[in-house]
Amino acid sequence: MPANILLVEDEPAIQELIAANLARAGHHVVRAADAEIAGRIVREALPDLVLLDWMLPGASGIEFARRLRADERTRNVPIIMLTARGEEQDKVVGLETGADDYVTKPFSPRELVARIKAVLRRRAPQATEDAVEIGGLRLDPVTHRVSADDQTLALGPTEFRLLHFLMTHPERVHSRAQLLDQVWGDHVFVEERTVDVHIRRLRCALEPGGHDALIQTVRGSGYRLSTQAQQASPAR
């Protein structure tokens, strides 16, 4: 699936090469030439992944990575460091700062795209094209189809995104605010109760296949997708 990638690179030729190859791979790329511009972009909307050059004018990529990891809102955004510094100690510093991967220049565009795919699969599986199946319920993001025991289910676009996120993060409890950020986007301002409305719609869509009980309400905390039975029935 297309990912929203923030590319922070100050060399125009390298920036253009990377952006062109990522666009060719189907991703949406937002560019920044320094950490200050990148910070403004992140404040407006969270990217799915940050490609971050180590050597930048002003604040370095390492400093910007530390900033992202120190902020609760941005600490889980995947980061891949891009750098000409190939020494082992430099890699250790980058990874200890919180980078998910470290790519040394020069690198092949194909390798970079593969590294991005691998990091997204680990850190943001809802941003990949991988089909996911839980308890007989199958969601395919490529064909945009959901089926339950070979029966196709009809879901609206928001319910599809909501189910995709829950299925790629099973057994975890997510608050309404977290679901708004992950499904609607943290730059979209809607009431938290909007989540309840779409959870109800999602359960109704899953009911024909008998999978509505997978979507569980955790009182006082939020919602989760689980194959383990709840002691109490989910609130509707």
Side-chain angles (χ1 to χ4, degrees), residues 8-17 32-33 53 55-57 84 105:
V8 190
E9 167 63 64
D10 65 315
E11 295 187 35
I14 296 177
Q15 187 188 90
E16 184 63 33
L17 176 65
D53 186 27
M55 303 297 292
L56 294 170
K105 299 175 182 178

Side-chain angles (χ1 to χ4, degrees), residues 132-138 146-148 153 163 167 206 211 214:
V132 57
E133 186 168 355
I134 296 176
L137 186 66
R138 188 176 194 276
V146 177
S147 59
L153 304 178
L163 179 61
M167 289 184 72
L206 298 179
H211 292 80
L214 291 175

